[in-house]
Every structure is written in C-alpha cells, then in structure tokens.
Amino acid sequence: MEISTSILNASNRREVILKLNESLTDYIHFDVMDGEFVENTQFQVEELVELLKVSNKKNDVHLMVKKPLKYIEAIKDLNVEYITIHVEINENISEILDFIKDNNIKCGLAIDLDTDINLIKPYLDKIDLALIMSVKAGYGGQEFEPKVLAKLNEIPNNVKKELDGGIDNKAISLIKSADIVVSGVYILKNIDKNILELKNANN
C-alpha cells in the first residue's frame, strides 16, 4: 500500500513539501478546490504550479473543481503522476480524461462519499486510478467512513484504487484492498513517524 500525503492543512505548504521530499511518502497529494464544486477554495492555479515545482516526489493532483481544463492546461508539462477529476462534474468527462492521457499523464476519476459507485463504471476502461472519498469532499480533518470500503470491491484490479479522507493509524487497519491511501492531518502531526506507521500497519 502506497502513501499519498495531502498538504491541504499545512500552514506552510512549501516548507512541508521540502520535508516530504526527504520522507518515505510515495506521493504528494494536492487537493484543489474552486469554491463551486465544493464550498472551500484551495490552490489558485499559480500557487499550484509553484508548489508542484518544489516537489521532487510523484505528484497526485485531485481536482475538486467544476471546470478542470484550465488547471490541467497549467500543470500538464510539470512533474505530475496522476490528475484526478470528479465524476459528479457537469462536463464531458470522457474528453477530459482523454486530454489528460494525451499529455502522458495518468488519469483518475473520483467519487464523493455518497455517490453511487456505478457512476464510475462506464469510464473504467479509460482511467488508471479510481479515487474513492471516505469523507465528504472539500474539507480536511473529517472522520473516516468505513461504509465506503465496499466500493473498493467494485473496482477491477487493473485500475489503481485510492482511498482519501480521515485516514489515520486506526482507520488504516480497516483498509485491505486499496493501492494508495491519502492522509494529511494525521501525517502532518509527525511526518516521518506517522508515514512509517501507516506503511507498516498492514504488513
């Protein structure tokens, strides 16, 4: 199981990225919010670009935005491993996924906590990663919802399964079939110690 560390709740994101560059995290996770798809707003395009340039880890960009193309355009030539958009947006999802792929970036599709997993299934042949929210999208620091674990079983093994939200040293023990887990608040309390704890939890 790989670890993707969210910097959403970091007070000094640049400083935290520099620490994560030296850590055992597998990815740095960027939660981008536009104030429309979710109420919160995080990462203007310019800030996202600058922070991605600081990272030397694989970067995992989660776009909680209604119109993702302007963000994708801005970061497509940077060091980005995954760009994930939400299935709930009112945009042409297939075209956006194709655009991500055409720029040699792995594409992901996310579903919010209460979204029916079946909405993701028409796109399974297009995506590299399915991101399943285990909290309500848009806010850090929420409690993990175990009810979402059943959704992991609906995703075929040729698609990476990422679980995002409320993951700490207690929640991790419940998670058996995710390939990547996203953790922010918990890891940032003690970066090296808590990344190691999550990595070792199910060994």
Side-chain angles (χ1 to χ4, degrees), residues 159-176:
V159 174
K160 285 248 190 185
K161 305 170 190 180
E162 183 172 47
L163 205 56
D164 181 359
I167 294 171
D168 57 16
N169 57 333
K170 294 177 183 173
I172 194 78
S173 64
L174 304 173
I175 302 165
K176 307 300 180 190

Side-chain angles (χ1 to χ4, degrees), residues 5 48-49 56 60 85 103 129 147 153 169 185 202:
T5 300
L48 178 62
V49 167
N56 63 21
D60 176 21
I85 63 171
N103 284 282
L129 176 140
K147 68 180 182 180
N153 300 327
N169 57 333
V185 172
N202 290 325

Side-chain angles (χ1 to χ4, degrees), residues 7-67:
I7 61 169
L8 175 63
N9 290 91
S11 55
N12 186 326
R13 288 166 176 162
R14 182 184 177 89
E15 185 178 300
V16 166
I17 290 172
L18 291 173
K19 288 180 181 176
L20 290 171
N21 284 344
E22 305 303 318
S23 77
L24 291 175
T25 196
D26 299 287
Y27 302 88
I28 296 177
H29 189 87
F30 293 81
D31 288 299
V32 183
M33 308 175 195
D34 63 356
E36 293 183 55
F37 180 74
V38 293
E39 290 180 11
N40 208 346
T41 303
Q42 296 290 339
F43 294 114
Q44 299 298 327
V45 171
E46 297 79 12
E47 183 188 10
L48 178 62
V49 167
E50 289 308 309
L51 290 175
L52 282 167
K53 290 176 180 177
V54 176
S55 169
N56 63 21
K57 290 287 186 177
K58 292 185 287 188
N59 294 307
D60 176 21
V61 178
H62 178 194
L63 296 177
M64 287 175 268
V65 302
K66 276 196 171 178
K67 297 190 178 297

Side-chain angles (χ1 to χ4, degrees), residues 65-131:
V65 302
K66 276 196 171 178
K67 297 190 178 297
L69 280 175
K70 74 171 184 178
Y71 297 88
I72 299 166
E73 279 281 4
I75 65 174
K76 63 184 174 61
D77 297 321
L78 300 175
N79 170 33
V80 181
E81 185 81 5
Y82 290 104
I83 295 178
T84 298
I85 63 171
H86 266 264
V87 73
E88 300 91 351
I89 62 174
N90 293 316
E91 293 285 316
N92 190 325
I93 290 170
S94 287
E95 284 186 12
I96 297 169
L97 295 174
D98 287 342
F99 182 69
I100 295 169
K101 284 281 214 185
D102 288 346
N103 284 282
N104 298 311
I105 298 169
K106 295 172 187 171
C107 63
L109 196 56
I111 58 168
D112 207 351
L113 179 65
D114 297 318
T115 299
D116 187 337
I117 189 65
N118 287 311
L119 290 186
I120 212 171
K121 290 182 177 177
Y123 306 101
L124 287 173
D125 62 339
K126 283 182 170 285
I127 62 175
D128 301 288
L129 176 140
L131 188 159

